[in-house]
Amino acid sequence: MNHGDRCRVLVVEDEFLVALQIEADLVAAGYSVIGPFTSLAQSISAAREHPFDIATLDLNLRGEFAYPLVDELIDRKVPVLLLTGYTAFDLPERFRALPRLSKPFDGMQLIQKINGLYPVS
C-alpha cells in the first residue's frame, strides 16, 4: 500500500491523552487518522463528511453513549473496533460480537486488532 492509499481510521475518543496515544500509534503503524472526535454529534457529523475505512470508537463520550454512531457504521458495513472499559455483557446484545479492546490497552494490542480488520501492507 503506498502512502496515498493508506487506510484511514476514524478515531472517536473523549479522553485527550488516550486520543493522542491512539493517533500516535496508528500513524506510526502506517495508518492515516481522521479525528480524533470527542462528542457523539461531532463524531456522527465527521463520519458522514469524511471518507474512512475503519472506525475505533470509545463508547462512552462524557456520559453520552456512541450507540447511534455504531448502528450507523454497521448499517454502512464499516468495520468497527470498540475501545471500552465495558465488558461484552455490559453492551447491548447487538454489539457483543463486534471486535473490542478493553481499556486500558497498549499500542501493540490496538495495531494487532486493526491489522486483523484492515491490514496495511
Side-chain angles (χ1 to χ4, degrees):
M1 186 176 286
N2 67 41
H3 178 75
D5 293 336
R6 291 190 307 170
C7 174
R8 296 161 302 204
V9 181
L10 177 76
V11 175
V12 176
E13 172 59 60
D14 64 343
E15 293 190 37
F16 179 73
L17 293 177
V18 175
L20 284 179
Q21 188 61 57
I22 291 169
E23 181 177 21
D25 292 338
L26 290 171
V27 169
Y31 292 96
S32 178
V33 174
I34 310 300
F37 300 98
T38 61
S39 72
L40 179 58
Q42 184 184 49
S43 301
I44 289 173
S45 178
R48 292 175 181 169
E49 293 174 14
H50 299 282
F52 61 96
D53 304 297
I54 188 169
T56 64
L57 306 175
D58 179 8
L59 285 178
N60 187 337
L61 303 171
R62 296 190 177 106
E64 188 171 31
F65 286 100
Y67 299 155
L69 177 57
V70 179
D71 284 327
E72 183 174 320
L73 296 178
I74 289 170
D75 288 346
R76 290 170 42 189
K77 300 189 182 345
V78 174
V80 172
L81 174 60
L82 304 178
L83 307 177
T84 183
Y86 296 106
T87 68
F89 293 107
D90 293 327
L91 302 176
E93 190 171 335
R94 67 189 186 277
F95 300 147
R96 290 181 186 166
L98 291 175
R100 182 176 56 85
L101 261 182
S102 295
K103 288 183 176 178
F105 55 84
D106 65 36
M108 179 77 77
Q109 292 172 307
L110 174 66
I111 298 309
Q112 287 174 343
K113 280 284 196 181
I114 297 260
N115 282 340
L117 295 170
Y118 201 105
V120 172
S121 53

